Amino acid sequence: MDTEKKISLLADSARFDLSCSCGAPETGRVRDPLEPLYKWIYPASLPQGGVMPVLKILMTNQCVNSCKYCFICTDKEQARASFEPEELSRLFMSMVKKRLVKGIFLSSASGLNVTRTMDKIIATAEILRFRHRFRGYVHLKILPGADAGHIEKALHLADRVSVNLEAPNAKRLENIARGKNYNELLSKIKQIGNLIRSRPGRARSQTTQFVVGAARESDKELLLTTTQLYKDYNLYRVYFSAFQPFQGTPLENLQPVPLIREHRLYQADFLLRKYGFRLDDIFFNNTGDLSLDKDPKTVWVEHHPEMFPLEVNKADLGQLIRIPGIGPLSARKLLDLRVRSKFRRIGELRSCGIRIEQARNYLLVSGQYSPHAEQMKFDFSPAAASSGGIQ
Ligand code: SF4
């Protein structure tokens, strides 16, 4: 198979791996001999902040497993291809020289032999780092079945590594991926987390991914495991990928998971990582799922009318970031500006980046309700205010 065909097969297959935090591929560049590659270039967010264009590609789409949710699974008829390390590193460096990409996210199916596939992933990264002296961003996938030696080497070569858990616990994973062992995956994540923490190797972070809804798990199960991964496993990010059925796979008749569910999980995850929320601050319905109609922060404030309204000239950071429309950056800016002079009107909060339309229902500015107070969901009467709701 020629290189161009391999690229379209192996880059197309890689688009379902979200562990590199990629957005949509870039488009609209001028014509070039490498143009078939352009659609596989993604803007990826970096461990130290910012984004850069990366090539997202698989080493191989051959696989010995038959994970029920996966369109690469062995039961499905499709063309198979593999790169050799020399071939892939040459291809990637030609893109670097043309300034098309600054990094690579190298993932893979298991191949016919996991050890050999991991050897190839490592060999590709070694060629890039040592022969081509590539100093840019490298994200390497750690496959189920990778050994300790692979992990050590990957951590020295990559900026980021990922092990995909796919499901939030052993029972759920067994339902959708019999070839995978949840506890083994978790112990790899633990080992990587310990190595990143204890040794100043190159890799600075690790991520993982869940396929949302394939195992009929609840959001609560996903977020419970997510909080444990952040707390005990030194994980940088969890990515959520809404299940979509593929024809010819065992789950082809399962309904696709709406993207809004994935979005709500990201919102809850954000609250847990950046807003000081704990899992018991997140409200779930009686099936253990997040509301699809309202974001988790709005649901939280609706369960805590006793906390509002807040006086913007007195509220602290922790209180402010609980309000819909106020994030950590805008809250800090508000605190900085407040030192110089008090806020007198709700419109002044725009200069902090606060989304007033969302926040006004929960705020007082110099003791005044918003002119749109009639839209508020809570009792903002003076009686309610004097009962301790105003801070
Ligand atoms: S191991 Fe499972 S998820 Fe990964 S490529 Fe193979 S079938 Fe797909």
Side-chain angles (χ1 to χ4, degrees):
M1 186 182 292
D2 67 31
T3 303
E4 195 172 313
K5 274 205 188 116
K6 275 191 199 177
I7 293 164
S8 64
L9 257 180
L10 297 174
D12 186 51
S13 304
R15 77 195 140 103
F16 297 101
D17 197 327
L18 299 186
S19 295
C20 69
S21 176
C22 293
E26 295 187 338
T27 54
R29 291 170 185 266
V30 292
R31 280 199 70 77
D32 178 282
L34 289 172
E35 192 172 328
L37 284 170
Y38 289 174
K39 60 182 170 177
W40 311 120
I41 299 172
Y42 294 79
S45 69
L46 301 173
Q48 64 272 31
V51 291
M52 71 161 56
V54 300
L55 173 67
K56 184 164 148 181
I57 201 152
L58 299 187
M59 199 80 224
T60 178
N61 69 347
Q62 291 186 313
C63 196
V64 291
N65 289 327
S66 289
C67 305
K68 293 181 183 173
Y69 54 85
C70 177
F71 85 120
I72 294 177
C73 78
T74 40
D75 303 350
K76 194 170 180 293
E77 284 272 321
Q78 63 182 292
R80 307 278 170 178
S82 303
F83 277 117
E84 290 303 317
E86 292 282 352
E87 184 186 18
L88 181 53
S89 52
R90 200 170 45 242
L91 174 80
F92 174 69
M93 287 312 296
S94 66
M95 297 178 75
V96 171
K97 281 178 189 141
K98 284 186 166 286
R99 297 173 190 261
L100 294 171
V101 290
K102 292 183 175 173
I104 184 167
F105 172 42
L106 181 51
S107 186
S108 189
S110 70
L112 300 179
N113 176 305
V114 174
T115 301
R116 269 213 296 279
T117 305
M118 270 314 302
D119 286 345
K120 282 185 177 185
I121 290 174
I122 299 292
T124 306
E126 284 175 340
I127 293 171
L128 294 178
R129 291 292 193 217
F130 302 137
R131 191 186 306 164
H132 297 289
R133 301 192 178 285
F134 176 68
R135 295 282 169 263
Y137 176 73
V138 174
H139 178 151
L140 298 180
K141 179 66 58 186
I142 307 293
L143 300 175
D147 62 33
H150 291 133
I151 291 175
E152 290 260 353
K153 283 185 182 165
L155 288 175
H156 281 289
L157 293 162
D159 298 275
R160 180 176 285 172
V161 297
S162 51
V163 175
N164 282 358
L165 267 180
E166 317 290 13
N169 52 56
K171 199 167 140 241
R172 297 292 185 187
L173 186 66
E174 201 192 326
N175 285 341
I176 55 171
R178 283 187 189 277
K180 291 182 177 173
N181 180 322
Y182 184 84
N183 290 327
E184 187 213 317
L185 295 175
L186 206 56
S187 79
K188 281 194 182 6
I189 291 176
K190 182 103 183 163
Q191 184 189 353
I192 292 167
N194 289 340
L195 284 170
I196 289 174
R197 203 183 338 233
S198 64
R199 273 195 258 152
R202 186 172 179 111
R204 286 183 284 266
S205 62
Q206 69 163 326
T207 61
T208 193
Q209 171 179 306
F210 293 126
V211 185
V212 176
R216 296 183 170 86
E217 77 292 333
S218 67
D219 292 342
K220 193 171 188 176
E221 287 175 83
L222 288 166
L223 290 173
L224 177 64
T225 304
T226 296
T227 48
Q228 284 164 352
L229 290 169
Y230 290 142
K231 185 167 158 280
D232 301 329
Y233 292 76
N234 197 20
L235 209 86
Y236 173 71
R237 278 291 304 269
V238 170
Y239 292 95
F240 302 98
S241 176
F243 166 78
Q244 304 298 310
F246 296 106
Q247 228 181 358
T249 62
L251 297 184
E252 66 180 356
N253 294 322
L254 191 66
Q255 286 297 306
V257 169
L259 288 179
I260 186 68
R261 181 174 174 198
E262 181 185 296
H263 182 60
R264 294 288 181 240
L265 283 163
Y266 277 121
Q267 287 177 319
D269 171 82
F270 220 72
L271 295 179
L272 294 167
R273 285 187 302 116
K274 304 278 185 191
Y275 288 71
F277 277 59
R278 294 169 317 176
L279 190 59
D280 53 17
D281 290 324
I282 307 287
F283 287 86
F284 300 96
N285 61 22
N286 54 11
T287 58
D289 293 313
L290 297 167
S291 165
L292 296 183
D293 300 329
K294 292 178 183 172
D295 68 86
K297 205 189 209 188
T298 299
V299 175
W300 183 84
V301 293
E302 289 183 1
H303 280 82
H304 288 282
E306 77 284 1
M307 308 277 288
F308 303 98
L310 287 172
E311 166 58 54
V312 292
N313 291 303
K314 290 184 184 167
D316 64 27
L317 181 71
Q319 291 172 316
L320 287 168
I321 60 174
R322 294 254 161 178
I323 295 175
I326 303 184
L329 279 179
S330 51
R332 283 200 187 90
K333 186 141 191 212
L334 184 151
L335 294 179
D336 283 350
L337 293 177
R338 199 172 77 183
V339 174
R340 283 182 243 155
S341 70
K342 281 187 166 192
F343 291 96
R344 309 235 165 255
R345 280 183 295 281
I346 188 111
E348 292 168 3
L349 300 180
R350 281 194 211 285
S351 60
C352 310
I354 290 172
R355 276 178 268 152
I356 292 174
E357 294 67 29
Q358 281 178 268
R360 66 179 359 134
N361 291 351
Y362 314 101
L363 291 173
L364 294 178
V365 184
S366 288
Q368 297 298 308
Y369 301 121
S370 159
H372 298 275
E374 66 278 6
Q375 296 175 10
M376 293 184 295
K377 302 174 186 75
F378 304 126
D379 181 4
F380 273 24
S381 66
S386 63
S387 70
I390 300 172
Q391 312 255 344

